[in-house]
Amino acid sequence: MHRSLLAATAALASAVTAQTGFNYGSTFTNGAAKSQQDFEASFRQAKNLDGTDGQFTSARLFTTIQPGSSNTPIAAIPAAIATNTRLLLGLWASAGQTNIDNEIDALVSAVDQYGSAFVDLIDGISVGSEDLYRITPTGIANLAGIGENPAVVADYINQAKRAISGTAASSKQVGHVDTWTAWVNGSNQAVIDASDFIGMDAYPYFQTTIPNNIDVAGEVFFEALDATRGAVGGKPLWVTETGSPVSGPQSGQARASVEDAQSYWNQVACRLLGNQPTWWYTLQDALPDTPSPSFGVVGAGGGTSPLYDLSCSNTEPIASSSIPISSAASATGGGPAGGPSQAEPTFGSGSGSDSDSDSGASDGSGGPLGEEIPPSAPSEDDSGPAPSPPSGGPSDDTGSYDGSGAGASTLLTVTTPGGEGPSAPPSRSTAAVPSSVGSQPAGTAPAPEETGSNGGGKSCPANLNGNYEFPHLIVPVDSSHPQKAYGTSYNGQVGHTKSSIYNFDIPPSEHDKTCTLVFLFPEKADLVTSSYTISGSGGLDVKGLKGPATEQTSYGTRPAIAEDVGAVDKISLGNSYTIASGPCAAGHRIGYEVSATGGLELDYFQDYNPSPIGLYITVC
């Protein structure tokens, strides 16, 4: 059994008390708002489920506002009082300051209106749900809706704390719920620091680029839990969403079936419930329509007889499949292994290499550049459902949200549903890794093209109008702090002492294609969701590394340099640069270190939205 699984299980055993409940949306699948009577019926149904001994006594909400109103407290609150149901409250945080003001007003109004009858039932207050995920590239590609950046989410958390500081709810914990992949990204540290608790969402069903069949689903989940626990610095960790669908499409190796939902319950729920605060996804999602996939433990007919046995009388062992979740914490993608033998130099190995190694290119000493993507190399496209927008009808079947606010692209990925239930992620243009995007980003205008020092020969365009790969991990390092690991970052940073390491996963399907390393640097006026700061004058120098970085990489521990890949003598605004080109290093994870030359100091937000900025590999 994996060490991380052992650690996660041991941590569960140390818990003293743990709330148990389900997730509840504010509307039905047809967009109709739930009334107090609707919530009361659901809360009583949960408490009386056969085989559960009445343990489902808490309800997680996504908003505190009743649909159709601006700031009226949600009907779930009086329903909880009437049924003595505890509440993990939610404040929707991805619709701008006015909306968060209304959420906070509704919360404070409910405290004033219902007093201790309400306050005594509060398990916690979550400011936001998967907001950090929705600004990732895959969140944007999956039309997950408007998200929010970590600084804003942290500010909203602090606003909520200040709002309740003088009320009867002042002692209640205020935190945030997001996908496990968001929590292990060091760029979200501000949200961890601001939170009193951490809510984690994780769904093995959606982890389609690793083995995710039901036999290993339990380990996949507990690896994610352990990775999150290691990232949040001792903060209380609650499982706020997980589950397995009873119907719907196959997702990777995972089936949506009652049989597999039963097995997942036995592997995961029966270890969590009573030991770790847990809100399962979900009690019933087929009202009035059945979403696909559907996660409800109770079917469309309702009642207290679940679709499968919830008694935990047959807890199943968890398989050990050596799934490298620790690398998944920062490396999106990584499809099947088996990169082909190469009789010619490959890009990622550097176009100047003369290696014929079947494990990737090598430097002059024969050491490999990069590493082969293992068969179980995971993707961040995994963390599962997010709720529909709380105040309106359900999202469409792609999870889109026609709301206000601004999103921005970042680096970690999960999947997202529409309405009250999850939906399968949309198909992508490549089968192995969610990085080769076959369509032009809206509004992209090709920049003037220049060539770096190793850009001769056949090359692909220095724009994102065709297929391309984006980096699945960016790690800044600093020679003035050689032992400090800064973790994953949304930004590329280069300067006098700073450089950045970029990991790319090249899918095996690109074994017969050309890969071109490009750097895109548009005018600031052309950016929509990104920005940068620049000072001094100079260029970029790119080195190929003997291995990829991890989130623990520091300047002193970074992989050794394998070769000079290429350079740009001087970068200037409004240009794109071809750095190097050659056959793709298919099936390998490649690391590049980018440093500044001259007096250049650059800090930019890596983003493929119009107009794209940063380091990419174009494929042709």
Side-chain angles (χ1 to χ4, degrees):
M1 185 178 290
H2 253 254
R3 179 215 63 79
S4 53
L5 176 57
L6 288 170
T9 305
L12 297 186
S14 67
V16 178
T17 60
Q19 296 300 334
T20 300
F22 290 107
N23 288 263
Y24 297 86
S26 61
T27 64
F28 294 103
T29 56
N30 62 0
K34 293 181 180 178
S35 67
Q36 178 178 338
Q37 290 72 27
D38 294 325
F39 279 114
E40 286 187 23
S42 293
F43 296 163
R44 291 191 175 96
Q45 180 184 23
K47 287 186 175 185
N48 290 287
L49 282 174
D50 295 347
T52 64
D53 295 325
Q55 69 184 131
F56 283 88
T57 58
S58 185
R60 179 188 170 222
L61 307 177
F62 299 104
T63 178
T64 308
I65 299 173
Q66 180 65 10
S69 72
S70 60
N71 58 7
T72 300
I74 191 169
I77 293 174
I81 295 170
T83 59
N84 193 33
T85 298
R86 303 192 64 81
L87 292 172
L88 173 52
L89 298 169
L91 279 61
W92 192 255
S94 286
Q97 183 63 55
T98 298
N99 185 78
I100 202 69
D101 290 341
N102 289 336
E103 290 278 3
I104 292 173
D105 287 346
L107 171 62
V108 174
S109 175
V111 171
D112 292 341
Q113 180 178 354
Y114 299 109
S116 62
F118 165 46
V119 172
D120 291 348
L121 296 174
I122 298 175
D123 284 329
I125 301 165
S126 173
V127 179
S129 179
E130 300 192 1
D131 309 86
L132 304 175
Y133 149 64
R134 287 193 298 276
I135 64 170
T136 64
T138 300
I140 294 169
N142 286 351
L143 303 178
I146 301 299
E148 196 52 87
N149 70 64
V152 173
V153 173
D155 181 53
Y156 287 168
I157 292 170
N158 290 325
Q159 289 182 43
K161 289 180 178 181
R162 290 192 296 270
I164 64 172
S165 63
T167 73
S170 60
S171 64
K172 300 301 178 180
Q173 291 180 300
V174 182
H176 177 70
V177 168
D178 226 296
T179 62
W180 75 269
T181 54
W183 293 123
V184 300
N185 188 316
S187 295
N188 294 323
Q189 186 63 44
V191 180
I192 296 175
D193 293 341
S195 296
D196 298 327
F197 70 88
I198 303 299
M200 184 203 80
D201 298 351
Y203 292 83
Y205 171 77
F206 289 106
Q207 294 186 231
T208 58
T209 60
I210 64 169
N212 70 333
N213 64 76
I214 194 59
D215 293 333
V216 300
E219 185 178 14
V220 172
F221 172 82
F222 283 107
E223 290 271 16
L225 181 64
D226 191 42
T228 304
R229 181 175 286 110
V232 300
K235 293 289 180 83
L237 177 58
W238 302 349
V239 177
T240 42
E241 288 183 43
T242 193
S244 185
V246 296
S247 65
Q250 182 162 322
S251 178
Q253 298 172 356
R255 300 180 304 168
S257 69
V258 171
E259 178 185 9
D260 283 13
Q262 174 75 80
S263 180
Y264 189 73
W265 180 273
N266 291 342
Q267 292 179 51
V268 176
C270 295
R271 287 173 169 82
L272 291 175
L273 304 185
N275 295 314
Q276 176 97 16
T278 301
W279 288 264
W280 199 257
Y281 198 90
T282 187
L283 174 64
Q284 186 178 21
D285 58 2
L287 282 175
D289 307 311
T290 301
S292 180
S294 172
F295 283 72
V297 302
V298 173
T304 59
S305 296
L307 296 173
Y308 49 89
D309 181 11
L310 307 182
S311 67
C312 291
S313 59
N314 294 298
T315 301
E316 297 181 18
I318 297 177
S320 177
S321 60
S322 299
I323 296 168
I325 279 287
S326 59
S327 63
S330 54
T332 303
S341 297
Q342 300 155 35
E344 60 180 336
T346 58
F347 181 72
S349 49
S351 60
S353 168
D354 59 359
S355 167
D356 59 2
S357 166
D358 63 3
S359 61
S362 66
D363 64 0
S365 63
L369 169 63
E371 65 181 25
E372 188 171 1
I373 302 173
S376 57
S379 155
E380 302 303 358
D381 194 1
D382 54 15
S383 295
S388 61
S391 57
S395 304
D396 62 25
D397 60 4
T398 61
S400 64
Y401 172 32
D402 182 15
S404 59
S409 147
T410 53
L411 296 174
L412 293 176
T413 62
V414 291
T415 55
T416 178
E420 282 200 352
S423 66
S427 60
R428 298 187 172 89
S429 59
T430 58
V433 184
S435 54
S436 293
V437 181
S439 61
Q440 176 180 350
T444 301
E449 189 169 331
E450 299 184 12
T451 301
S453 62
N454 202 8
K458 180 183 177 182
S459 64
C460 305
N463 59 55
L464 304 190
N465 294 345
N467 289 353
Y468 64 92
E469 306 288 341
F470 61 81
H472 298 146
L473 175 66
I474 300 177
V475 175
V477 296
D478 192 334
S479 62
S480 64
H481 301 282
Q483 302 309 313
K484 183 172 182 178
Y486 293 91
T488 57
S489 177
Y490 300 147
N491 285 34
Q493 304 172 48
V494 296
H496 177 61
T497 62
K498 293 180 181 179
S499 58
S500 291
I501 300 174
Y502 298 75
N503 284 1
F504 288 88
D505 293 313
I506 312 300
S509 60
E510 295 176 356
H511 66 91
D512 58 349
K513 298 180 180 179
T514 296
C515 283
T516 299
L517 188 67
V518 301
F519 186 78
L520 311 181
F521 195 44
E523 296 275 2
K524 187 174 289 188
D526 295 330
L527 299 174
V528 175
T529 57
S530 182
S531 189
Y532 57 80
T533 59
I534 185 171
S535 63
S537 177
L540 301 175
D541 181 67
V542 182
K543 307 291 188 186
L545 303 180
K546 291 187 176 182
T550 72
E551 61 270 25
Q552 287 82 37
T553 296
S554 66
Y555 183 85
T557 63
R558 73 196 194 284
I561 294 172
E563 64 182 356
D564 291 322
V565 173
V568 177
D569 292 336
K570 181 179 180 180
I571 66 169
S572 56
L573 304 182
N575 286 280
S576 58
Y577 300 91
T578 295
I579 297 169
S581 192
C584 296
H588 290 75
R589 180 170 296 146
I590 306 300
Y592 297 105
E593 182 177 7
V594 180
S595 305
T597 60
L600 178 68
E601 298 280 341
L602 174 63
D603 186 339
Y604 73 91
F605 187 89
Q606 174 91 15
D607 189 0
Y608 61 45
N609 282 295
S611 189
I613 181 173
L615 193 71
Y616 298 88
I617 293 175
T618 59
V619 182
C620 60

